[in-house]
Amino acid sequence: MPPLSLLRNARSRPDPVDQPARKRGRRLVAACLRPPAGTTLALLVAIAAATGLPVLAPQLTKRFVDEAIAGSALGPLLILAGGYLLLAVGGLAARTFTGWLANGWTWDGTNRLREQLTDHVLGLDLEEHSRSSPGELIERVDGDVMAIANFLVAFVMDVVVSVLLLIGVLVSVFLINTWLGVTLTGYCILVFAGMLAGQRIAVPAGRRSNEAIAVMLGGLEETFGGVEDIRANGAGGYLVRRFHRTAGAWIRAEAAEVRVGILVVAGISVAFAAGTALLLGLAASLVVGGAVTVGTAVLLVQYALLIRAPFERLTDQFRQVQGALASLDRITELLSRRSTLAVPARPASVPDTRPWDVRFEGVTFRYDAGDHPALRDVELTIAAGSTLGLVGRTGSGKTTIARLLLRLYDPISGVVRVGGVDLRDLDQAALRQHIGLVTQDVQLFSATIRDNLTLFRPAAEFRPVADDSRLRQVLHEVGLGAWLDDQPDGLDTLITGISAGESQLLAFARVLLADPAIVVLDEPSSRLDRATEQRIDTCVARLLTGRTGIVIAHRLASLARVDTIAVVADGRIVEHGDRAALASDPASRFARLIRLADGAPR
Ligand SMILES: Nc1ncnc2c1ncn2[C@@H]1O[C@H](COP(=O)(O)OP(=O)(O)OP(=O)(O)O)[C@@H](O)[C@H]1O
Ligand SMILES: [Mg+2]
């Protein structure tokens, strides 16, 4: 076995700021969010109307005032007033239409992004999953994507429309009087510079707040997920205290973010009031000097009022912009994570003669988070069609052996083969279709019995067959026939309350349905009553017939039917041989375990 320092270096994680991977992540996000050409065109037209019409409307009031002062007749004045109304209503309608288009586009795009992320997260290996709690991943897939969706809508409505409106107003004012235009432009630049400075303070504050909420939600998810163990251990108080701490950290981060936001808004308001006063003073002096008409002064007042809203909306976007940037950053980071399991360029096909033998050849493995190898130089052979019983103390490495056989991880050195083929040469999906695993932690979904058996795969795509009669047959085979008959909607019944034994049997039915070549049972009967254990034992026997199997058990009675036994201690196979031979050899470790277990089969 290589020395430990070498093992550490051999399994380095991908660099978290790996630039090409990030670029790939960003490209994926961009591809999801790109609007279709038709939508882009419609949006451009709607945006042009939403910004152009409000800039034109005050021109009519200018003419109205000037013509009224000049003593115009009522008719033309009424026409001007009507025109103003049309422009105002048209501007509002265009704004609403822009919002509708922007919402449709962003929600389509972000739903695509959600799907991509879910698919990506499901494809990551267990090592990656252990780096983030389910709560954090949910926050990434839902919370962050939602922040981006909200931001994109706001970007179109509040940033693009506002900036164009500002440009429209500036151009109009320049056309009236250069000095007025220069003053207004200078003032806008000052306010904008202030906003950028504010943003530099606001972005880190927002990121800290988002990170704090992800930690808090991750903890909550863990707490609610483990409610049974927490109650049993009386750990509720400690977990509430942990929640108190994480929630406190979030509230402090959030408060800091809000304080920064309020300061920025207040600064902009003061700057705005000063600018408006300056503009009006200038306009008054120009009217007195006869350079512009009263109507133009009214126009300026209207423009001064018109640009206030865009600036305020831009400022409001500060929080969303920085929140969305932080979200985007986390999403690209997640998308840039890669499974550490190499995908073969040309996957070998799975052996076509069943059952397959299983071989571990000098397998050494260490978890990333572990400081010592979980498996050391493991040599194991399971003959095709036979069953191996794995025994050993808790933490000795039994489950790790099963995980390596399912290729949830790759060994650091050594090879795992099924039917003579190195697992690393096989297509992962095909391999997992041919290996069935049942753990004591059966994951049931709040879905129908059918979906829980097929794991949502449509019957047409299921190999070998998963039509209703086959589903009923496997349920009968595992002894759940009577249970199924009691269900009000048969296979379409939603699974709600179900006992530990029933869920275990359902997991067996899943494996029977998939008809794998290799079956791994990890502690399948440790939490059950005697009667259920017997049902399960019968079921296990059926499951193992004609297949190669591994049964991991603390309860030696579960091993009555296995052919060979391997005793695992501290990641090594310390004994391996025929079950009956080991049981009858009083010097063997297995015989000692049997004597300790008191009354287990010989
Ligand atoms: N995801 C993980 N990350 C880091 N270390 C792990 C991980 N899973 C298991 N280990 C460690 O690897 C060693 C072997 O664990 P494993 O789960 O294989 O033991 P086991 O024999 O199945 O135990 P048990 O009988 O309690 O189920 C232990 O020291 C354990 O702490
Ligand atoms: Mg285990």
Side-chain angles (χ1 to χ4, degrees), residues 43-62:
L43 253 177
L44 288 179
V45 173
I47 288 174
T51 53
L53 298 180
V55 176
L56 279 182
Q59 299 284 351
L60 293 188
T61 47
K62 169 189 174 278

Side-chain angles (χ1 to χ4, degrees), residues 335-350:
L335 281 173
S336 63
R337 286 191 203 173
R338 278 283 169 267
S339 176
T340 44
L341 306 177
V343 179
R346 232 179 281 127
S349 50
V350 291

Side-chain angles (χ1 to χ4, degrees), residues 53 57 60 79-93:
L53 298 180
L60 293 188
I79 291 173
L80 281 174
Y84 179 83
L85 183 69
L86 271 182
L87 289 185
V89 171
L92 268 180

Side-chain angles (χ1 to χ4, degrees), residues 191-205 260-261 263-265 268 315 318 322:
V191 173
F192 192 65
M195 280 165 63
L196 286 184
Q199 194 189 25
R200 264 197 293 279
I201 316 168
V203 168
V260 170
L263 274 178
V264 171
V265 170
I268 302 292
T315 329
F318 270 6
Q322 45 88 11

Side-chain angles (χ1 to χ4, degrees), residues 563-565 575 577-588 590-591 602:
D563 304 297
T564 53
I565 291 283
E575 191 170 274
D578 180 68
R579 185 187 66 84
L582 288 178
S584 57
D585 173 4
S588 75
F590 184 54
R602 247 140 250 265

Side-chain angles (χ1 to χ4, degrees), residues 395 398-400 522-523 552 554:
K398 304 180 298 293
T399 298
T400 307
D522 194 351
E523 305 275 11
I552 300 174
H554 281 298

